[in-house]
Amino acid sequence: MTKMNIQKIADMTGVSKTTVSRVINQEKYVSSEIREKVLRVIEETGYVPNGNAINLSKGKSNTIGVTLPYNNLCYQSLINSILDQANLNGQKVLLLPTYHEEKIEFDYFSLLEQKTIDSLILTTRTSNIEAWEALNMKGKIISTEKLISDKIPMIYSDRQRCYELLFAELKNAHDTDIVFTVQRGVARSQSTFDKVKAFEMYFGKAIEGRDYYTNISGYEIGKEWVLKTFSNKKIPEVFYINGDDTAAGVLKGLEHLGYQHNHDFLLIGEGNTTFSEVLDFSTIDFTPQKIGEEVVNFVCGKMAESNKKYEPKIIWRLNE
């Protein structure tokens, strides 16, 4: 079967390729009679226009790209906020998982040049790219986390300040036996770097495998980590866990070992999700709803401010 294209549609309708293109792109300057004729042939032949070609001719796709490591509950509130606000602005959203792979992340930038997407929201960074200015010329780019470079717009939660305040409060409460978990190591994550730095401001050198543990993410992994690590050793006074879902697994593991929350240990999660509310442990709200709304408004041209930080809120739940 011969593959259908614009030229064949033009031949079948007796009009030029330019006219067919105008009909496909819903442009003016085509009579109703010719428009109906072209659309009828397109329907009869089952021709599907090339989306990228249409986007290139129009100069925009009405699509926002959003990078994220993978489908994780830590990003759920932020992604939902982005989806809702994009819908209000008549935009589609293309989720782009990076799996923390630098090459995959970098390849997504080419989608701007191809006009597959009009803009790109970065929810996490695998590496620090130097050519920000060149990338920004291809389409609007904004980050939802703080970057070292100030050449790319950022609307983010001030995690570093929050970490400092949290560890300061724990220090003042005489909680000195603290363990915290992270997903990636210091060399690969700005958030981990900031968290370790804040810990060291109050408790001295942070040693991996003693003060903090990496590659901990998700309910099952949190539970398994606790059972493996603390079955035969004293538990710390405080567990500060990266993500409420992971903290829920940690809580389940500690209960399995016979410990009681807010009596034998203090548990702090991240995200202010249903997990922390239902299971009644402390958490941190990084304001993802506000950030999601504003990054979409920025890439849609509805706000000029492009470097803004929000103060996270520590939510203490200390009832025994």
Side-chain angles (χ1 to χ4, degrees), residues 142-177:
I142 191 166
S143 174
T144 63
E145 70 173 8
K146 186 178 181 180
L147 303 175
I148 295 175
S149 172
D150 60 359
K151 295 179 180 179
I152 281 292
M154 296 170 273
I155 300 176
Y156 63 96
S157 184
D158 192 353
R159 290 172 178 259
Q160 181 176 358
R161 179 60 179 157
C162 180
Y163 299 150
E164 293 172 1
L165 290 173
L166 174 64
F167 287 126
E169 289 197 40
L170 293 174
K171 180 74 172 181
N172 291 335
H174 305 292
D175 292 319
T176 57
D177 188 8

Side-chain angles (χ1 to χ4, degrees), residues 233-266:
K233 64 185 285 190
K234 178 179 176 291
I235 66 169
E237 296 173 319
V238 179
F239 287 88
Y240 174 28
I241 307 300
N242 55 307
D244 280 355
D245 58 329
T246 308
V250 168
L251 178 60
K252 187 66 175 180
L254 289 167
E255 289 177 343
H256 181 80
L257 294 175
Y259 295 106
Q260 183 179 348
H261 177 225
N262 280 341
H263 180 269
D264 301 311
F265 65 93
L266 171 65

Side-chain angles (χ1 to χ4, degrees), residues 40-285:
R40 184 168 58 251
V41 171
I42 288 175
E43 183 178 358
E44 291 173 352
T45 59
Y47 172 62
V48 178
N50 184 300
N52 283 342
I54 294 173
N55 294 340
L56 283 169
S57 66
K58 286 185 173 183
K60 63 184 303 183
S61 63
N62 294 322
T63 302
I64 302 169
V66 181
T67 66
L68 69 164
Y70 41 76
N71 185 20
N72 187 291
L73 284 175
C74 291
Y75 296 92
Q76 186 175 43
S77 294
L78 176 62
I79 296 302
N80 285 343
S81 178
I82 290 172
L83 290 171
D84 290 342
Q85 196 66 18
N87 184 53
L88 290 175
N89 282 275
Q91 299 288 308
K92 300 183 291 293
V93 174
L94 181 62
L95 298 180
L96 306 168
T98 66
Y99 308 102
H100 292 305
E101 293 290 337
E102 185 174 343
K103 184 181 183 304
I104 294 175
E105 182 180 78
F106 193 77
D107 286 345
Y108 287 142
F109 291 113
S110 65
L111 298 179
L112 288 167
E113 189 171 13
Q114 297 167 5
K115 300 296 182 183
T116 302
I117 56 177
D118 298 327
S119 54
L120 187 61
I121 297 172
L122 310 173
T123 67
T124 188
R125 296 285 303 111
T126 297
S127 62
N128 291 304
I129 295 175
E130 297 178 357
W132 285 123
E133 291 180 351
L135 289 170
N136 231 357
M137 291 179 66
K138 298 178 181 179
K140 283 191 174 182
I141 304 175
I142 191 166
S143 174
T144 63
E145 70 173 8
K146 186 178 181 180
L147 303 175
I148 295 175
S149 172
D150 60 359
K151 295 179 180 179
I152 281 292
M154 296 170 273
I155 300 176
Y156 63 96
S157 184
D158 192 353
R159 290 172 178 259
Q160 181 176 358
R161 179 60 179 157
C162 180
Y163 299 150
E164 293 172 1
L165 290 173
L166 174 64
F167 287 126
E169 289 197 40
L170 293 174
K171 180 74 172 181
N172 291 335
H174 305 292
D175 292 319
T176 57
D177 188 8
I178 301 167
V179 162
F180 63 95
T181 62
V182 296
Q183 185 173 351
R184 294 183 291 162
V186 173
R188 298 196 64 197
S189 168
Q190 183 66 42
S191 177
T192 299
F193 177 86
D194 291 340
K195 194 175 289 187
V196 169
K197 182 180 178 182
F199 176 91
E200 292 179 340
M201 289 175 63
Y202 299 98
F203 302 104
K205 180 69 175 177
I207 306 297
E208 184 176 356
R210 184 193 70 184
D211 302 304
Y212 73 98
Y213 294 78
T214 58
N215 300 314
I216 311 298
S217 180
Y219 180 92
E220 291 298 334
I221 292 177
K223 178 182 175 182
E224 291 172 7
W225 167 71
V226 162
L227 294 175
K228 180 179 178 181
T229 307
F230 297 101
S231 290
N232 298 304
K233 64 185 285 190
K234 178 179 176 291
I235 66 169
E237 296 173 319
V238 179
F239 287 88
Y240 174 28
I241 307 300
N242 55 307
D244 280 355
D245 58 329
T246 308
V250 168
L251 178 60
K252 187 66 175 180
L254 289 167
E255 289 177 343
H256 181 80
L257 294 175
Y259 295 106
Q260 183 179 348
H261 177 225
N262 280 341
H263 180 269
D264 301 311
F265 65 93
L266 171 65
L267 179 64
I268 305 168
E270 290 180 345
N272 191 25
T273 67
T274 305
F275 281 103
S276 56
E277 183 178 2
V278 172
L279 298 176
D280 200 31
F281 57 80
S282 301
T283 187
I284 299 175
D285 186 345

Side-chain angles (χ1 to χ4, degrees), residues 16-34:
S16 68
K17 285 176 60 179
T18 301
T19 299
V20 175
S21 179
R22 284 175 176 167
V23 172
I24 291 172
N25 292 319
Q26 301 178 21
E27 296 177 3
K28 300 177 180 179
Y29 313 115
V30 180
S31 69
S32 299
E33 182 182 352
I34 291 177

